[in-house]
Amino acid sequence: MTLTATRPSTTAPPVSRKPASSRRARVPYAFLAPGLVLFTLFLAAPIVYAGYLSLRKVKVSGLGLGSKSRTEVWAGLSNYARSMTDPDWLPSVYRILGYGLVVVPVMLGLALLMALLLDAGRTRPAISGFARLSIFLPYAVPAVVASLLWGFLYLPKVSPFGYALDRFGISAPELLSSSWVLYAVANVAIWGGTGFNMIVIYTALKAVPTSLYESARIDGASELSIAWRIKIPIVMPSLIMTFVFSMIATLQVFAEPMTLKPLSNTISFTWTPLMKVYRDAFVRNDVYSAAATSVVIAVATFILSFGFLKLVGRRAFHQEES
């Protein structure tokens, strides 16, 4: 009887590998993860917490001196009612509406005009590049710094323009007076925001094929006709986007009037809705009313922005209603 020795099998068991498609599908989420974490921590969570605070209030027992004399209790919608019935609320809303009626049309009109002039092809590349940089540069200046610069230019006693007018016997206007302060604040926003909107519109114009312009010129169209009938309709989505951004910035204006406030008695602590939030939270130490006002501003911004996009989106972006 013969015994045959058998070797154990050295073949490794098959290793299950996940398909490459599933691994590739996870790559976008890996890139999005840091942004989602930052969005959650610094935007979503504060919004939720502000909504929570807006429904709470502090109940004071006795003289409010003991450790347990102040307790946080449910307030319902009382903070919203108190905030909306504040006598300073409606004037700040009307003031910000007037501010927006000045800032948004003028800023977008100047941005569109400058973008069309730069795209007209009548300037040399070097001059065009210098012009783009010069127009965009004010956007890189922080709002606080820009407000300080313009604030001192507004004061007749320290402004070089006021000195020049005095030399000619002309009295410099009080630009920070009650009659002009709205336009003075609006000027700072227009100076700082026109360059950004111009770059957005100009980038959209550069993406248009030049064959469209050449065909129009062959047909005898003038530069004005090309701008009105071809360029402006094509960049309409960019105009809509810049309008929405400008509207949101208008509702949230804070830095400019807050910086100019020490230079003028015509700007109160409630000159804009966000300044009212600041006063309630840090001057009156009423974070619950401030949170309610913040939620109202956020909801108004959301409704106006998405309502406007819904109104004009179908025409500007060729969307079909589902």
Side-chain angles (χ1 to χ4, degrees), residues 53 63 180 275 300:
L53 287 179
L63 297 178
W180 292 97
M275 292 180 68

Side-chain angles (χ1 to χ4, degrees), residues 104-295:
V104 176
V106 174
M107 182 169 60
L108 294 186
L110 289 175
L112 178 61
L113 176 62
M114 293 175 183
L116 291 173
L117 290 176
L118 290 174
D119 190 64
R122 297 182 179 180
T123 57
R124 297 179 180 179
I127 299 177
S128 178
F130 176 77
R132 290 198 304 270
L133 179 62
S134 302
I135 298 171
F136 178 78
L137 194 59
Y139 179 73
V141 180
V144 174
V145 177
S147 300
L148 285 174
L149 292 174
W150 280 103
F152 285 106
L153 290 177
Y154 291 154
L155 296 175
K157 292 184 179 180
V158 298
S159 173
F161 301 109
Y163 174 78
L165 291 175
D166 287 339
R167 298 289 293 179
F168 288 98
I170 303 174
S171 59
E174 293 287 344
L175 296 178
L176 292 178
S177 63
S178 58
S179 302
W180 292 97
V181 67
L182 178 67
Y183 304 100
V185 178
N187 175 66
V188 180
I190 294 170
W191 180 80
T194 300
F196 169 79
N197 295 303
M198 182 274 296
I199 290 295
V200 173
I201 299 171
Y202 180 74
T203 304
L205 286 172
K206 297 300 290 184
V208 179
T210 56
S211 59
L212 291 177
Y213 306 149
E214 294 172 357
S215 301
R217 293 188 182 98
I218 292 174
D219 292 338
S222 63
E223 291 295 330
L224 180 61
S225 180
I226 291 174
W228 181 255
R229 297 180 180 273
I230 299 178
K231 293 184 178 182
I232 293 179
I234 288 179
V235 300
M236 187 59 66
S238 297
L239 285 173
I240 298 301
M241 182 183 68
T242 53
F243 181 88
V244 172
F245 288 164
S246 302
M247 183 169 57
I248 294 173
T250 297
L251 294 174
Q252 299 177 354
V253 62
F254 176 79
E256 293 87 351
M258 197 67 181
T259 306
L260 292 173
K261 182 183 179 302
L263 304 178
S264 173
N265 294 327
T266 58
I267 301 178
S268 63
F269 258 123
T270 59
W271 202 80
T272 67
L274 270 187
M275 292 180 68
K276 179 182 179 299
V277 172
Y278 178 88
R279 182 206 64 179
D280 293 342
F282 299 104
V283 177
R284 294 183 174 179
N285 199 25
D286 186 3
V287 295
Y288 306 98
S289 178
T293 308
S294 300
V295 171

Side-chain angles (χ1 to χ4, degrees), residues 81-127:
R82 186 157 51 93
S83 178
M84 296 301 100
T85 55
D86 191 318
D88 295 323
W89 167 250
L90 283 180
S92 68
V93 173
Y94 295 148
R95 203 174 291 116
I96 209 66
L97 289 177
Y99 171 86
L101 290 176
V102 174
V103 170
V104 176
V106 174
M107 182 169 60
L108 294 186
L110 289 175
L112 178 61
L113 176 62
M114 293 175 183
L116 291 173
L117 290 176
L118 290 174
D119 190 64
R122 297 182 179 180
T123 57
R124 297 179 180 179
I127 299 177

